[in-house]
């Protein structure tokens, strides 16, 4: 029937091999989920040492899954982990890593020039059909895509930390993204068992566009002396049903990351009042209080 033909042809067309560039916090999570859902993954980072650590962190994360899902079946659990790890190979040469790739997901350092340099080089090395995506949180996808000759095969795949736990995937299109590319990216997201939302290439996409100004307004509220940060967190958890208050979330994300995103937007869109700086945030970052990772942010994380 027509329907089964369509299913077969879309399956033949589907993304099977994925190159994840950057094996840090996000890249290793993305590689893990892509491999868990049956994709062949090549993970790229600057050194074999980093890649070794990325693979170890994936293994650790999978073992947590096994503890829950294979409590009665240790052999099955072992097989599960080794099957998934077997689908992930590593590479330090990104050009070589895209030779067989249907999809590139870039999750390297949040720096526009470094990203453009990478994609310009990959554009020459990758096959015609390969789709390029960035996982950037704060840079315009369009500003990265101009470094290539394949803007119709370019888009954004914005994942959330921790990738294995967080259900959402924002699929971002730039004006040049073809419908075929966009549909393939959406299908890939669903194949990764994520719930996808479609969005245009605007600052912060959907989630961060709402979350960052909200968080900064919470900081301004404390700056004005309207409420304490602890009471704001309590209020938003118990009154709005949020799992974390804005100050807990900022500590979790990293106050330096918050500031970096906000400053980038303020520079690019100086007229937008939502993107104006917060003196409180700047003070914490200047003092090296960056949140959970530095041991102290709004809350204290040092083991007593
Ligand atoms: P990370 O610092 O944990 O990892 C980045 C990795 O990229 C490092 O291992 C680094 O060695 C590697 N790298 C840097 N330059 C490279 C290059 N030229 N070639 C190959 N590897 C290179 O950073 P993280 O947090 O994983 O962020 C990566 C990207 O994901 C950024 O664009 C960020 O905006 C985005 N993102 C981050 C989220 C988060 O919660 N941390 C959430 C969603 C997106």
């Amino acid at each position: 029937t027509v329907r089964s033909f369509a299913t077969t042809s879309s399956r033949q067309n589907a993304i099977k091999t994925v190159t994840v560039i950057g094996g840090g916090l996000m890249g290793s999570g993305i590689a893990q989920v892509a491999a868990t859902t049956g994709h062949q993954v090549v993970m790229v980072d600057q050194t074999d040492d980093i890649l070794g650590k990325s693979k170890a962190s994936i293994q650790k994360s999978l073992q947590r899954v096994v503890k829950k899902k294979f409590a009665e079946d240790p052999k099955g659990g072992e097989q599960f982990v080794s099957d998934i790890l077997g689908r992930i190979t590593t590479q330090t040469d990104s050009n070589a890593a895209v030779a067989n790739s249907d999809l590139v997901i870039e999750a390297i350092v949040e720096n526009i020039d470094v990203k453009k340099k990478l994609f310009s080089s990959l554009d020459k090395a990758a096959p015609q059909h390969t789709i390029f995506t960035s996982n950037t949180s704060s840079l315009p996808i369009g500003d990265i895509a101009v470094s290539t000759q394949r803007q119709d095969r370019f888009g954004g795949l914005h994942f959330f930390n921790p990738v294995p736990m967080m259900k959402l995937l924002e699929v971002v299109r730039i004006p040049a993204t073809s419908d075929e590319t966009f549909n393939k990216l959406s299908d890939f997201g669903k194949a990764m068992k994520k719930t996808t939302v479609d969005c245009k290439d605007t600052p912060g996409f959907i989630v961060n566009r709402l979350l960052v100004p909200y968080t900064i307004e919470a900081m301004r509220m404390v700056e004005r002396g309207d409420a304490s940060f602890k009471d704001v967190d309590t209020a938003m958890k118990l009154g709005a049903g949020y799992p974390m208050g804005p100050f807990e979330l900022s500590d979790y994300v990293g106050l330096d990351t918050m500031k970096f995103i906000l400053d980038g937007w303020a520079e690019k869109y100086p007229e937008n009042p939502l993107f104006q700086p917060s003196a409180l945030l700047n003070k914490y970052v200047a003092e090296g209080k960056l949140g959970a990772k530095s041991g102290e942010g709004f809350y204290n994380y040092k083991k007593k």
Side-chain angles (χ1 to χ4, degrees):
T1 66
V2 173
R3 175 180 266 276
S4 72
F5 172 75
T7 312
T8 321
S9 84
S10 71
R11 224 178 268 141
Q12 276 166 356
N13 238 327
I15 286 161
K16 296 188 191 80
T17 58
V18 183
T19 306
V20 179
I21 308 197
L25 183 66
M26 295 303 290
S28 54
I30 295 166
Q32 177 185 328
V33 177
T36 301
T37 51
H39 302 88
Q40 202 62 45
V41 179
V42 185
M43 185 168 57
V44 180
D45 210 303
Q46 290 165 316
T47 67
D48 284 319
D49 190 45
I50 301 175
L51 286 165
K53 286 180 186 139
S54 310
K55 257 200 131 163
S57 84
I58 293 175
Q59 185 161 11
K60 222 172 134 192
S61 169
L62 288 171
Q63 262 142 10
R64 279 196 295 269
V65 178
V66 164
K67 256 194 169 170
K68 274 194 222 147
K69 281 199 180 160
F70 293 86
E72 313 287 303
D73 178 15
K75 269 236 153 84
E78 252 174 61
Q79 189 66 46
F80 170 82
V81 174
S82 76
D83 284 351
I84 293 169
L85 291 178
R87 282 194 285 275
I88 305 176
T89 58
T90 57
Q91 254 285 1
T92 51
D93 177 349
S94 51
N95 287 333
V98 297
N100 263 314
S101 184
D102 296 326
L103 172 68
V104 172
I105 305 174
E106 170 274 310
I108 66 169
V109 56
E110 188 75 333
N111 176 306
I112 184 82
D113 295 323
V114 181
K115 288 191 196 282
K116 283 172 79 168
K117 192 167 160 234
L118 170 73
F119 277 115
S120 153
S121 164
L122 294 181
D123 194 30
K124 294 169 195 99
Q128 267 292 314
H129 79 281
T130 309
I131 297 176
F132 287 0
T133 65
S134 175
N135 178 50
T136 179
S137 281
S138 66
L139 302 169
I141 303 292
D143 289 3
I144 306 171
V146 293
S147 63
T148 72
Q149 305 289 324
R150 62 177 83 207
Q151 295 192 48
D152 57 319
R153 281 150 288 151
F154 211 111
L157 287 177
H158 187 237
F159 291 87
F160 293 80
N161 179 42
V163 182
M165 306 292 299
M166 297 292 280
K167 286 263 150 233
L168 187 69
L169 173 63
E170 291 175 331
V171 185
V172 185
R173 68 187 307 161
I174 56 174
T177 308
S178 72
D179 289 343
E180 188 190 348
T181 297
F182 192 77
N183 292 337
K184 275 192 188 171
L185 292 178
S186 259
D187 288 347
F188 170 71
K190 289 173 186 100
M192 277 182 96
K193 300 214 167 90
K194 296 298 180 197
T195 298
T196 61
V197 290
D198 304 351
C199 51
K200 288 191 182 166
D201 185 22
T202 57
F205 313 125
I206 299 175
V207 173
N208 286 340
R209 177 55 178 270
L210 295 175
L211 210 46
V212 173
Y214 145 79
T215 303
I216 299 301
E217 184 58 18
M219 292 179 189
R220 293 197 190 101
M221 191 176 249
V222 171
E223 283 168 31
R224 291 192 297 263
D226 297 344
S228 72
F229 75 84
K230 283 189 182 159
D231 279 356
V232 173
D233 276 355
T234 301
M236 293 314 290
K237 284 189 286 186
L238 302 186
Y242 285 19
M244 282 187 215
F247 295 93
E248 288 169 318
L249 184 71
S250 300
D251 275 1
Y252 177 74
V253 170
L255 302 186
D256 52 337
T257 302
M258 274 284 174
K259 177 173 160 56
F260 181 86
I261 294 175
L262 189 70
D263 289 352
W265 292 352
E267 195 183 325
K268 212 170 156 70
Y269 311 95
E271 74 294 346
N272 192 327
L274 295 176
F275 302 160
Q276 293 309 303
S278 146
L280 186 65
L281 176 62
N282 290 346
K283 174 175 166 284
Y284 272 79
V285 173
E287 289 170 356
K289 294 177 185 164
L290 306 181
K293 66 182 168 190
S294 74
E296 191 181 353
F298 290 100
Y299 295 90
N300 199 322
Y301 301 87
K302 291 186 186 115
K303 288 195 187 92
K304 291 191 184 102

